[in-house]
Amino acid sequence: MKIAITGASGFVGRTLQRTLREAGHSVCTIGRAAAATDVAWDPGTGAIDATRLRGIDAVIHLAGANIAQRWTERARREIRDSRVDTTALIARTMADLDPRPRVLVSVSGVGIYGDCGDELVDETHAAGRGFLAEVAQAWEAAALPAREAGIRVVHPRLGVVLHRSGGALAKMLPAFSLGVGGPIGSGQQWMPWVALADLLRALQFFVESPHTSGPYNLVGPEPVRNATFTRTLGQVLGRPAVIPLPAFAIRLLFGAMGAETLLGGQRASVTRLVDAGFSFRYPTIRTALEQAMVATV
């Protein structure tokens, strides 16, 4: 298949390109820098070189501004617009192509459920409250033009992607490697996670599996609390992980972003994904963290 990727220069996108090519697919990238991408776009103005997307079979839409920043009003607009506006542009463009691509895999997040406490949530659960929940609802809704055009649309709802080279884990490693890491807040909040290798396999699975559509929680099948996650990370690194980071410090350092992403969480079920035929290669937090420490990207 010929697959286009947005966000191809990011942490996940770079590795996904290689994964898809190794599976025999051809890949083209969509990005702002015309000299460094195959298809140029400018989501701010709604411009995209649609002629270069003719013949595309699938689009994997990964683009979005970094959530891990203090949520000023400007940052909130950037986070929302970089997801909603880009999704709408991709969906409209795909709907207008002739022939139309078969599938749009447009990532979302389990943050759509808000902070769910100890409740086990699946894809039928109502959207929750909070900034990320609101963004995720608009993000998924923006794909409507593709759905209305008969294109199969899949929304993988991601948790924390685990790999030492990027994302949250890369930010945590310096402290934990020095033995000064530990649980965040009470440590009792659920922490949805997924191994990068399983994420890449799942994205390919969605492209190649015509029976899949709609939202899928894409997190590890073994839900863990933050205290379990941090203890296991310490064990994998051979370092103590007992120094807590109090909730008040999180709120002071990171504001609303820290409160939503670090002190809240989701205990998300992957039953729908498993029933669709996907199997996890790294199903436990320990195997996922061990793989994250040794794998290259």
Side-chain angles (χ1 to χ4, degrees), residues 19 23 33 66 88 127 170 181 196 214 228 231-232 234-235 246:
T19 298
N66 184 15
L196 174 61
T228 301
R231 181 173 63 251
T232 306
Q235 292 169 352

Side-chain angles (χ1 to χ4, degrees), residues 239-270:
R239 297 289 189 272
V242 295
I243 301 176
L245 186 57
F248 78 85
I250 291 293
R251 293 188 177 95
L252 182 65
L253 290 170
F254 305 113
M257 185 278 290
E260 273 199 40
T261 65
L262 300 176
L263 300 179
Q266 299 80 29
R267 184 186 176 202
S269 166
V270 294

Side-chain angles (χ1 to χ4, degrees), residues 109-111 113-115 121 157-162 168 189-195 217-226 229 260-262 264-270 285:
V110 291
Y113 306 116
D115 182 7
V121 294
R157 293 175 173 172
L158 307 187
V160 177
V161 181
L162 299 181
Q189 67 274 30
W190 292 94
M191 186 170 175
W193 57 270
V194 63
N217 292 337
L218 183 43
V219 297
E222 180 193 75
V224 297
R225 298 183 189 273
N226 176 264
F229 175 89
E260 273 199 40
T261 65
L262 300 176
Q266 299 80 29
R267 184 186 176 202
S269 166
V270 294
I285 189 58

Side-chain angles (χ1 to χ4, degrees), residues 84 87-96 100 104 138-153:
V84 178
T87 303
L89 176 57
I90 284 292
R92 290 194 307 269
T93 302
M94 292 177 71
D96 289 340
R100 296 187 182 110
L104 167 61
W139 194 3
E140 294 184 7
L144 181 61
R147 286 192 294 271
E148 290 182 333
I151 296 169
R152 181 168 60 90
V153 177

Side-chain angles (χ1 to χ4, degrees), residues 95-160:
D96 289 340
L97 288 173
D98 185 17
R100 296 187 182 110
R102 303 178 217 169
V103 57
L104 167 61
V105 179
S106 183
V107 298
S108 180
V110 291
I112 195 170
Y113 306 116
D115 182 7
C116 299
D118 290 339
E119 182 182 3
L120 184 66
V121 294
D122 64 16
E123 294 82 358
T124 65
H125 193 280
R129 296 179 179 179
F131 174 63
L132 291 183
E134 293 169 2
V135 168
Q137 290 177 74
W139 194 3
E140 294 184 7
L144 181 61
R147 286 192 294 271
E148 290 182 333
I151 296 169
R152 181 168 60 90
V153 177
V154 183
H155 293 294
R157 293 175 173 172
L158 307 187
V160 177

Side-chain angles (χ1 to χ4, degrees), residues 18-60:
R18 187 181 68 195
T19 298
L20 293 174
R21 290 187 174 111
E22 289 175 350
H25 302 296
S26 61
V27 174
C28 74
T29 61
I30 302 173
R32 293 177 184 273
T37 193
D38 299 310
V39 181
W41 74 345
D42 183 352
T45 63
I48 187 169
D49 187 358
T51 60
R52 298 182 67 86
L53 287 173
R54 288 175 184 158
I56 289 290
D57 297 298
V59 176
I60 300 177

